[in-house]
Amino acid sequence: MSAPTFSVVPEHVAIIMDGNGRWANARGLPRTMGHRKGVEAVRETVRAAGDIGIKYLTLFAFSSENWRRPETEVSDLLGLLKAFIRRDLAELHRQNVRIRVIGDRDNLRGDILPLLLEAEETTRSNTALTLVIAFNYGSRDEIARAFTSLAKDVEAGRLRPQDISPELVGARLDTAGIPDPDLIIRTSGEERLSNFLLWQAAYSEFMFMPEFWPDFSRDLFFAALEKYAARDRRFGGLSAKPAAAVGS
Ligand code: FPP
């Protein structure tokens, strides 16, 4: 399928895929159907991102707080993620997609961790889109783990406290080596970050869309990218765009 061209393509887009449950409720369906339809939207979005040359796509698949949901829903979400990797890994590999997983890997139950590691290992040399799956991810937890790692180096005499810089902190986060997201999209009309990429979002553009995640599509994605291309990013400095174009 042909893809439109944009004057600016973000290098990294991160998405909070919200609204699966409400999508299902609105149709009188069980919540699990919303998650199932959500996986289809994931597939379409990954393909679209690859088609237009986005280099990094991060998807918030399961937060460290999602364990608080009823056991049946937790099992369902884990099952869908596992099925996605089992069924789609070969195709993603063929599309030259590299998979990275962020989030706490300790104490994960069952066969989920081996599967995630296999996905990373199989695709590690791929060079097109990097699909970053945030699983058992919480930003405060990620930052705390980075601080623990730095504190251990200080304790061992390998690092002086005054040498701790933003770059050094960034290099200890799960996202080390991944550029900060240029654009963060959240679906379902909620307007908050919910413990997602707090450190990395310092200069991100935000886009809150009213549609529930299962309704997210290639067209909605491209509409968001069109809007992004018109944004004026200043990173604390002055506008690089001519005055007439600012805010247009
Ligand atoms: C939010 O909807 C969505 C999630 C908690 C999980 C997202 C997971 C998927 C789309 C499937 C698996 C992921 C991959 C990468 C294959 P919600 O349940 O919070 O919806 P609600 O706010 O309407 O209740």
Side-chain angles (χ1 to χ4, degrees):
M1 202 182 293
S2 71
T5 50
F6 300 95
S7 57
V8 184
V9 173
E11 185 180 19
H12 182 177
V13 178
I15 307 185
I16 303 175
M17 311 179 286
D18 198 8
N20 293 350
R22 278 164 287 164
W23 181 92
N25 280 343
R27 288 161 179 77
L29 298 169
R31 292 176 58 82
T32 173
M33 292 308 290
H35 297 315
R36 260 160 233 270
K37 190 80 176 25
V39 176
E40 287 173 32
V42 165
R43 288 199 181 97
E44 186 166 335
T45 305
V46 172
R47 241 177 272 124
D51 287 349
I52 53 158
I54 287 171
K55 294 302 289 178
Y56 296 85
L57 175 70
T58 298
L59 299 178
F60 203 178
F62 193 91
S63 79
S64 39
E65 289 76 32
N66 284 153
W67 299 108
R68 296 185 198 140
R69 295 190 177 202
E71 173 57 30
T72 48
E73 182 162 346
V74 168
S75 300
D76 216 67
L77 280 168
L78 298 188
L80 284 174
L81 183 61
K82 287 191 279 187
F84 173 74
I85 292 174
R86 287 196 184 109
R87 280 188 212 144
D88 291 43
L89 184 58
E91 173 63 15
L92 291 169
H93 191 35
R94 206 186 53 74
Q95 291 170 16
N96 200 15
V97 172
R98 179 172 61 147
I99 295 177
R100 275 266 308 255
V101 180
I102 58 170
D104 189 1
R105 297 175 181 212
D106 283 348
N107 304 317
L108 289 178
R109 65 193 195 192
D111 52 358
I112 186 84
L113 185 60
L115 257 181
L116 294 173
L117 294 175
E118 184 197 333
E120 284 190 320
E121 193 49 42
T122 307
T123 61
R124 65 179 307 142
S125 304
N126 290 345
T127 53
L129 173 73
T130 296
L131 172 62
V132 183
I133 299 177
F135 176 75
N136 194 26
Y137 178 84
S139 197
R140 287 181 171 180
D141 169 70
E142 175 194 34
I143 293 169
R145 285 187 283 107
F147 285 177
T148 303
S149 155
L150 290 168
K152 281 182 180 163
D153 280 1
V154 170
E155 191 180 34
R158 289 190 292 267
L159 178 67
R160 298 183 309 165
Q162 62 270 33
D163 290 335
I164 295 175
S165 61
E167 290 72 29
L168 210 55
V169 175
R172 299 293 169 105
L173 297 173
D174 297 344
T175 50
I178 297 173
D180 289 343
D182 301 292
L183 171 65
I184 298 181
I185 295 173
R186 182 171 189 150
T187 56
S188 91
E190 306 290 350
E191 301 191 356
R192 55 180 172 266
L193 258 184
S194 300
N195 206 12
F196 186 52
L197 303 177
L198 300 180
W199 176 276
Q200 299 86 341
Y203 287 103
S204 302
E205 293 293 322
F206 290 90
M207 223 163 272
F208 299 105
M209 310 183 60
E211 292 83 5
F212 295 138
W213 176 251
D215 286 329
F216 197 75
S217 63
R218 194 177 171 90
D219 286 349
L220 284 173
F221 194 18
F222 291 161
L225 294 175
E226 190 79 53
K227 270 200 197 163
Y228 170 83
R231 295 256 176 113
D232 180 34
R233 301 187 73 197
R234 293 192 287 278
F235 300 96
L238 298 178
S239 177
K241 287 192 176 183
V246 173
S248 62

